[in-house]
Amino acid sequence: MTTLAAEAGSGGGAPAPRPPVALAVPRSLDEALALLAQDGAAVLGGGVGHTLARHHRAPDRPSTLVPVAGLPALAGVRTGPDGRITVGAATPLDDCAKAAAIARVWPVFTEACGSVATGRIRRLVTLGGNIAAHDDAHDPPVALTALGADLTVRAARGGSRTLSVPEALRPAADGGLRPGELLVAVTLPTRPRGAATGSAYRKYLVRGVWEYACVHVAAVVGLDGEGRATRLSLAVGSVEGGPVAVPLDGLLGGRFDADLVEEAARAAASGTRPYDDVKGSAAYKTRMIGEFSRRALTEAAHRARGTGHHAGGDR
Amino acid sequence: MSTTEMPATGLPSSALDLGRAVLPPLIGSPVERIDALEKVSGRATYAADTRLPRMLYGAVLRSPHAHARVVSVDTSRAKRLPGVHAVITGADTARVKWGAFRPDLYPLALDRVRYIGDEVAAVAARDLETARRACELIEVVYEPLPAVLSLDEALAEGAPLVHDDAEGNVAHEFSFDRGGADAWFERSDVVVEGVWETARQWHASIETIGCTAEWAGDRVSMWVNTQTPFLARQRYATALGLPLRAVRVVQTEIGGGFGGKSGDDNTSVICAILARRTGRPVQLVNTREDEFLASRPRIPMRYRVRLGFTASGLVTAKDIEVIADNGAYTGKAQAVLGAATVRHDALFNYRAVRAHSRLVYTNLVPTGAFRGFGNPSADWAVGQAWDLAAGKLGIEVPDLFLLNAVESGSVSPHNHKITSCELKQCITKAAEAIDWAGKRANPTPNRGLAMGVSVHVSGRRSFGDYDGSSAIVRLTEDGRATVIVGEGDIGTGARTTLAQIAAAELGLAVADVSVSRPDTDLTTHALGALASRVTYVAGNAVKRAAEQACGRLLEAAARQLGRPASQLWVADGVVHGPAGPDGGDPVSSPVGTVVRAELYRPDGEPVIGIGSFDNPSEFPDQSRYGNESGAYNFAAEAAEVEVDPATGALTVTEFAAVVDCGTVLNPPLAEGQVEGGIAQGLGMAVTERFSWRDGGPRRPNFGDYKLPTAGIMPRKLHIGFADSYEPTGPFGAKGVGEISLDPVPSIIASAVADAVGVRVHELPITAEKVFWGMSAQGAPPDTADPTAQDARSSAPEPDAAPAPRDPASAPHGSASAPDAGRGPDSRTQEAR
């Protein structure tokens, strides 16, 4: 850390050393929620704190840290009786990327989880931590936005709520994740019967590995027997208010061809507001959002038709 | 990445014909690093691993302003924080300016800060957290001053001065015209011209700069990860206001240097002051942010280059104007600018060269030495002009290079005397390795081909009229050898190479040779690891010391064994001699036995050899005339690059590097240097940059700053070495540490131009710049930049064909249409 500005206030007296921070290890989810309901408590685990600190959004000197990554209730990938896949919030991203059950159904999620940082980091950070860190440059939330996944959050008081990714990432006052609430699970939708569905995640990296993307796009495409689009979902990350779901309902029912892809890509480019940073100017990123939307949609449609050349091509 | 290794040069087939010594078998063999085990097992002691009893930890408070007056510094709250032992400011220093060439840096700011990161105050405390917390409690009142945040701002009429004594913000300036450039340009058939600019590049060593200091009476010992212990000692003594004798510098293990640890920054000086103030050992290690804000990155340079050629492709004249961004303090930048102005003139047979170079102060991070030492900037700018010329002349680049390349015996316009030179062999081998002819015959869409060449020194006479090294080789009573030398190893394997040289000379196994670490109190004097000099300069000193030690051993053995010394030899740690003239058996005695017997006698003596070698070079004058090194190494590198037309992103599909470093002493170590240089060159060329705000990097960390990874290395990589022998080198060897980096940016830029017709004029060559360049190509003519025109218009040959795929060769190259250097991206790139 380098302190660029002296931020200390003035005033006499010996400055107090920082008070020690307590580490309270819960044995159960209920215990964790009870601890988190107390003033000054903050979640530890899954890389949340690290990311928040990077964005200077860390809680102001928490007095108690509550590690949650080891809770059995938050672990693992399960397929429910209704066929929906639920991923515990403490599941490491590497496990998400390696879950065959997910890859068979939603390769967009597999690819997003597998594209995060490096293997060492993917083995450490969790899905819940990745989402709760509230970083529009993160990959899994983009895929989950395109999929329309359900997030289950719980608090000691008030039971549980179900939110979409964009809802969860709103300010608490607008219905987003509230202090004391813990993201416990992510539930993926089932694939609709009777329609060919494919999905794909495309990420544009300057260096090719271990970096935040210049642009990243998730696409889900459903096609009927005539090749018409029955589902078109496109989500874009690293843009203002991201991840942003691009509204494409106007294109539904149309034939999925190059013109439709072009229109969807144009909608993605014009409907999102990237920002200037070291990865590129906003003007360039807008052009790349169009390009990578094209690529993601095209690959998703390939997979829907069962002609994809990547793992996960299916029907 | 699949690496195809071209075999290193074997022993010359006809050594006598080439006037070469027959080389011992150890030379050219893949000896394992002598420090491999301690490094991989974590036992190596790097700067931050030093532990002294009662040691405190330091932290530094830095300026948040690019330029400001320091109105007041209140340290009272910080001092009252429990656990804090000292808080120091400029008032606690000797108030002496220091610097390698132009002393302009205070250890801590006195009344002005000149860049974001300038050191203002420092703390020593019982632990790091307390030290950093105390920094937050220091209250500084600044009065911000107008700042100059670019070369153009610094050179503008009436610009604010970074230092009051540097008029026009010019820190250093020189010029020359050797051979009469104007006359040769008039006689030229083809002239090319352009402007090219480089950016700051950080060393980004895996280990940051660090020091542990401890005082005993009036002397301070500093354990530092410096590349240059003896030069650093001199500068630290100045900065601390102490006589040289009061400072001892001990080199720790070094986790990468690349020029960044050559003692131009304040970290060690502050550490020593904290230690004196507290009366306890203090350790101060840069954080990664400290390193980005306040180390000494590569100097951004802007070149205007003009080259003249005859119609048949012979180079006539070169004219360059160089403006270099010194940042706020000078360090070694003025020496770097010297190399960046003259060195590359030892590549081609220029009839005339003219240059005007200025080093310009800005309120930005100070710059300094970085692997390549100005060469990569020069090779990028001048290499681009050569590539343009090849296009205009209609000659393939390798052929144009071969037509003009220097040879053994050449003398550059600056009196650089080329002894061994296999540049032409490098060019030919690199072209063969990448199948230049085949690829030209069967072009692939969006793929481009390019070649670059470079020359580097093996040591450089920079720091006064001495570029030498000295060594002691002591044969031990147990039959081993200890090499005592002041050079050190920054991770390149230099100590291994020196052990190999000593072992080969002595007839011992490498495992029986140990090499000391530099300690200015104990080891011999040496300049350190810079300018690709250790193998050549220290190698010669060690070889001479070993030779003398071996001679003394044989003299002792001669007395002990009753055979003349001239008939004795050492093999596998045993002295051998022939049968006696009277028919006795052949004789032998282990080295340790001979050494002990020599010592254990009346008036006995230890068996020690000393050796010294001063680079047979000249100290260049103020206009940079003088043979800066006794030996020059050369390289030719070629690349094939593919550009994604939808994004502008590039992939290096194939890369071939052929290096002339004389005899390859240790092939894996040499290949490692070449490979690493290519990686670092790709970083400079493609990925390494910051987004800037108000004169500082927006986020000074690896999240923004993209070091190259395996992911951007060439898909296919060929590394080879020229069959070469340097008569003044140890066993024929020359330096190899830097040269492979030098031509990389130019090669990538030329390959992109060849692939898609876009020539980027400002590093790095980001996908975005290439993308906008391609977009501009497709733009309707009326919206294209009206200043875009081919260099032909200013060249005296009106009927020369325009370069077909490169419309960027305008009189001011950076103003041509498909010139992504001026795209939206580039304007945000440097300090605006």
Side-chain angles (χ1 to χ4, degrees):
Chain A
M1 178 193 70
T2 295
T3 305
L4 281 182
E7 56 190 8
S10 54
R18 281 180 188 142
V21 179
L23 185 72
V25 184
R27 284 161 299 190
S28 68
L29 178 56
D30 286 338
E31 227 173 68
L33 294 173
L35 287 166
L36 287 170
Q38 297 168 4
D39 281 347
V43 174
L44 178 70
V48 189
H50 175 76
T51 310
L52 292 179
R54 197 163 57 78
H55 292 296
H56 306 290
R57 289 203 305 256
D60 191 31
R61 306 209 191 294
S63 55
T64 308
L65 292 173
V66 184
V68 297
L71 292 173
L74 304 188
V77 178
R78 304 179 294 277
T79 305
D82 58 353
R84 297 178 77 190
I85 296 170
T86 294
V87 185
T91 308
L93 290 181
D94 196 52
D95 290 358
C96 298
K98 285 176 176 161
I102 298 174
R104 259 196 313 276
V105 186
W106 295 122
V108 63
F109 185 63
T110 301
E111 289 171 341
C113 293
S115 74
V116 171
T118 65
R120 289 178 72 178
I121 293 171
R122 289 194 295 272
R123 286 189 284 279
L124 188 69
V125 303
T126 64
L127 179 60
N130 188 271
I131 298 168
H134 206 137
D135 188 328
D136 64 47
H138 283 185
D139 299 286
V142 179
L144 294 172
T145 300
L147 284 174
D150 289 332
L151 311 187
T152 304
V153 303
R154 282 190 58 184
R157 279 184 293 268
S160 78
R161 299 195 289 154
T162 302
L163 304 170
S164 70
V165 170
E167 284 167 349
L169 298 182
R170 284 178 196 153
D174 298 337
L177 269 176
R178 295 191 277 259
E181 267 185 338
L182 186 66
L183 172 55
V184 295
V186 175
T187 304
L188 308 179
T190 55
R191 271 190 312 189
R193 296 184 192 287
T197 305
S199 66
Y201 191 71
R202 286 295 176 265
K203 186 172 179 181
Y204 178 26
L205 300 175
V206 171
R207 178 171 63 179
V209 67
W210 196 8
E211 58 183 315
Y212 287 104
C214 177
V215 304
H216 43 136
V217 176
V220 181
V221 171
L223 300 175
D224 67 12
E226 314 297 315
R228 287 185 297 257
T230 57
R231 177 173 182 182
L232 286 173
S233 301
L234 204 51
V236 182
S238 294
V239 292
E240 282 180 25
V244 167
V246 181
L248 297 173
D249 286 354
L251 298 175
L252 287 176
R255 203 179 155 65
F256 190 95
D257 57 11
D259 289 343
L260 183 143
V261 169
E262 198 50 44
E263 273 200 58
R266 206 173 299 137
S270 62
T272 51
R273 290 202 298 166
Y275 36 81
D276 291 322
D277 63 16
V278 74
K279 300 182 283 291
S281 68
Y284 178 65
K285 288 181 178 179
T286 291
R287 301 285 288 267
M288 293 304 106
I289 287 169
E291 175 62 25
F292 283 80
S293 295
R294 243 172 254 131
R295 294 181 183 188
L297 284 167
T298 304
E299 180 61 21
H302 272 303
R303 289 174 180 172
R305 296 186 186 110
T307 57
H309 42 272
H310 295 281
D314 49 43
R315 198 171 257 275
Chain B
M1 180 182 70
S2 75
T3 304
T4 309
E5 305 291 357
M6 291 164 60
T9 306
L11 294 179
S13 51
S14 51
L16 290 175
D17 291 349
L18 295 168
R20 301 174 181 187
V22 174
L23 299 175
L26 250 187
I27 296 304
S29 72
V31 170
E32 190 177 282
R33 279 174 184 252
I34 60 173
D35 54 4
L37 190 61
E38 58 186 290
K39 282 188 171 175
V40 298
S41 61
R43 281 189 285 113
T45 306
Y46 291 89
D49 298 324
T50 307
R51 288 288 174 274
L52 297 177
R54 302 171 69 240
M55 188 176 87
L56 302 171
Y57 294 83
V60 173
L61 178 70
R62 301 183 179 280
S63 166
H65 298 286
H67 197 190
R69 195 168 71 83
V70 180
V71 179
S72 65
V73 184
D74 181 353
T75 59
S76 56
R77 293 192 74 215
K79 281 177 174 160
R80 288 199 296 273
L81 184 69
V84 169
H85 288 251
V87 183
I88 58 168
T89 68
D92 301 298
T93 68
R95 298 165 186 255
V96 176
K97 286 183 189 173
W98 68 288
F101 294 101
R102 182 185 167 92
D104 56 9
L105 175 69
Y106 289 113
L108 288 166
L110 288 186
D111 56 0
R112 246 163 98 183
V113 287
R114 295 181 169 85
Y115 73 100
I116 293 177
D118 214 348
E119 294 87 0
V120 176
V123 174
R126 67 181 169 214
D127 54 45
L128 264 179
E129 199 195 0
T130 304
R132 290 171 185 171
R133 175 88 201 285
C135 280
E136 294 173 12
L137 297 172
I138 299 170
E139 292 166 39
V140 186
V141 177
Y142 297 101
E143 177 195 328
L145 299 170
V148 288
L149 302 183
S150 69
L151 287 170
D152 292 320
E153 285 183 19
L155 290 171
E157 190 75 28
L161 293 183
V162 180
H163 292 269
D164 297 336
D165 62 349
E167 203 179 321
N169 286 317
V170 175
H172 182 69
E173 184 172 15
F174 63 93
S175 58
F176 53 74
D177 183 352
R178 305 203 220 278
D182 280 337
W184 280 101
F185 275 116
E186 273 168 34
R187 294 168 62 179
S188 300
D189 302 313
V190 170
V191 174
V192 291
E193 183 163 0
V195 175
W196 286 275
E197 193 156 349
T198 60
R200 274 179 177 70
Q201 181 189 20
W202 273 262
H203 317 84
S205 295
I206 195 165
E207 182 206 28
T208 59
I209 293 166
C211 174
T212 308
E214 180 179 40
W215 290 77
D218 287 336
R219 285 197 89 218
V220 62
S221 293
M222 300 164 76
W223 289 263
V224 193
N225 53 13
T226 176
Q227 300 175 224
T228 54
F230 287 86
L231 291 171
R233 174 183 59 163
Q234 174 78 56
R235 283 184 220 131
Y236 296 161
T238 304
L240 293 166
L242 296 171
L244 192 59
R245 57 190 299 163
V247 180
R248 171 190 180 199
V249 173
V250 184
Q251 188 187 67
T252 63
E253 192 66 70
I254 298 179
F258 309 114
K261 288 176 177 151
S262 50
D264 296 306
D265 63 291
N266 269 326
T267 297
S268 299
V269 178
I270 293 170
C271 182
I273 299 170
L274 286 171
R276 175 164 241 185
R277 176 53 67 100
T278 57
R280 287 168 65 158
V282 174
Q283 181 168 96
L284 180 60
V285 178
N286 280 0
T287 63
R288 185 56 64 182
E289 285 76 11
D290 288 328
E291 196 92 342
F292 277 124
L293 290 174
S295 63
R296 300 294 184 262
R298 191 185 298 286
I299 310 170
M301 295 191 194
R302 185 189 297 162
Y303 279 76
R304 189 191 54 73
V305 184
R306 200 164 162 241
L307 291 180
F309 290 86
T310 66
S312 60
L314 289 175
V315 71
T316 52
K318 192 195 76 169
D319 186 14
I320 58 173
E321 187 177 343
V322 191
I323 309 171
D325 181 352
N326 195 22
Y329 301 102
T330 303
K332 279 194 270 295
Q334 76 176 55
V336 177
L337 180 60
T341 306
V342 304
R343 174 121 7 112
H344 54 279
D345 291 339
L347 274 172
F348 300 117
N349 291 310
Y350 294 105
R351 276 73 184 170
V353 291
R354 181 167 59 199
H356 177 208
S357 293
R358 279 177 293 168
L359 182 64
V360 178
Y361 279 120
T362 59
N363 290 114
L364 297 169
V365 186
T367 56
F370 192 142
R371 193 179 198 176
F373 209 74
N375 247 12
S377 308
D379 285 342
W380 141 258
V382 179
Q384 288 302 282
W386 274 84
D387 196 61
L388 283 179
K392 281 177 69 84
L393 290 159
I395 301 175
E396 284 290 304
V397 172
D399 296 332
L400 186 63
F401 286 168
L402 285 172
L403 196 58
N404 291 284
V406 298
E407 295 179 310
S408 297
S410 294
V411 179
S412 88
H414 315 293
N415 206 36
H416 294 181
K417 297 187 173 100
I418 311 301
T419 47
S420 62
C421 172
E422 299 298 339
L423 177 58
K424 290 183 177 178
Q425 188 191 143
C426 291
I427 295 167
T428 305
K429 280 188 171 174
E432 283 168 5
I434 206 159
D435 188 20
W436 185 283
K439 285 188 166 67
R440 270 284 178 257
N442 301 293
T444 310
N446 299 316
R447 286 197 181 189
L449 200 55
M451 180 180 275
V453 290
S454 190
V455 55
H456 217 96
V457 289
S458 303
R460 177 174 188 265
R461 233 172 176 75
S462 293
F463 304 99
D465 195 3
Y466 179 71
D467 180 22
S469 192
S470 50
I472 298 169
V473 169
R474 174 188 156 227
L475 289 169
T476 65
E477 306 71 44
D478 51 2
R480 295 176 302 110
T482 303
V483 177
I484 300 163
V485 62
E487 298 286 3
D489 191 330
I490 60 175
T492 58
R495 286 170 69 237
T496 301
T497 311
L498 295 178
Q500 212 173 333
I501 288 171
E505 192 64 40
L506 292 165
L508 297 179
V510 174
D512 288 335
V513 177
S514 56
V515 181
S516 68
R517 288 182 180 286
D519 177 333
T520 56
D521 271 10
L522 298 177
T523 58
T524 56
H525 184 83
L527 291 195
L530 57 102
S532 298
R533 67 187 291 284
V534 174
T535 295
Y536 177 73
V537 181
N540 268 321
V542 168
K543 186 169 182 290
R544 288 178 178 183
E547 204 177 337
Q548 193 183 77
C550 191
R552 291 186 174 164
L553 176 78
L554 296 182
E555 283 164 21
R559 286 191 289 274
Q560 295 168 23
L561 299 173
R563 301 282 186 279
S566 60
Q567 291 180 8
L568 300 175
W569 72 94
V570 187
D572 300 328
V574 177
V575 181
H576 298 276
D582 49 357
D585 289 336
V587 292
S588 69
S589 180
V591 168
T593 306
V594 177
V595 172
R596 203 162 43 245
E598 174 68 1
L599 196 55
Y600 284 28
R601 65 181 173 88
D603 299 322
E605 285 185 348
V607 181
I608 287 174
I610 59 170
S612 179
F613 182 80
D614 189 10
N615 207 329
S617 53
E618 302 164 354
F619 190 39
D621 67 15
Q622 174 67 18
S623 75
R624 279 15 184 223
Y625 185 86
N627 185 31
E628 56 181 349
S629 182
Y632 296 87
N633 43 82
F634 295 86
E637 296 176 347
E640 184 195 50
V641 167
E642 181 167 315
V643 177
D644 179 344
T647 62
L650 65 87
T651 304
V652 183
T653 49
E654 195 168 349
F655 196 101
V658 181
V659 176
D660 165 15
C661 57
T663 301
V664 177
L665 296 177
N666 186 322
L669 289 179
E671 283 159 17
Q673 287 302 304
V674 174
E675 219 171 284
I678 293 166
Q680 214 157 22
L682 285 172
M684 179 185 178
V686 184
T687 65
E688 294 184 39
R689 65 199 289 259
F690 274 121
S691 167
W692 292 74
R693 177 174 53 200
D694 301 333
R698 222 172 259 270
R699 298 211 279 197
N701 57 49
F702 284 132
D704 270 10
Y705 193 78
K706 305 282 193 308
L707 282 185
T709 66
I712 72 156
M713 281 298 276
R715 296 293 175 267
K716 202 172 175 190
L717 177 61
H718 314 268
I719 292 174
F721 295 95
D723 182 14
S724 170
Y725 188 90
E726 167 56 43
T728 65
F731 298 110
K734 300 189 276 191
V736 70
E738 300 172 80
I739 188 152
S740 73
L741 188 157
D742 298 341
V744 175
S746 178
I747 293 167
I748 300 303
S750 298
V752 169
D754 188 46
V756 294
V758 172
R759 190 178 295 275
V760 175
H761 285 248
E762 184 183 12
L763 293 180
I765 304 160
T766 62
E768 173 162 7
K769 291 177 187 174
V770 177
F771 177 83
W772 292 125
M774 289 189 294
S775 302
Q777 279 177 323
D782 58 332
T783 62
D785 187 336
T787 63
Q789 52 186 309
D790 193 82
R792 251 177 328 121
S793 57
S794 68
E797 186 180 300
D799 57 347
R805 298 177 68 189
D806 184 359
S809 50
H812 300 283
S814 58
S816 49
D819 175 7
R822 292 171 64 87
D825 183 53
S826 68
R827 275 195 282 277
T828 63
Q829 193 264 334
E830 188 62 32
R832 302 310 297 263

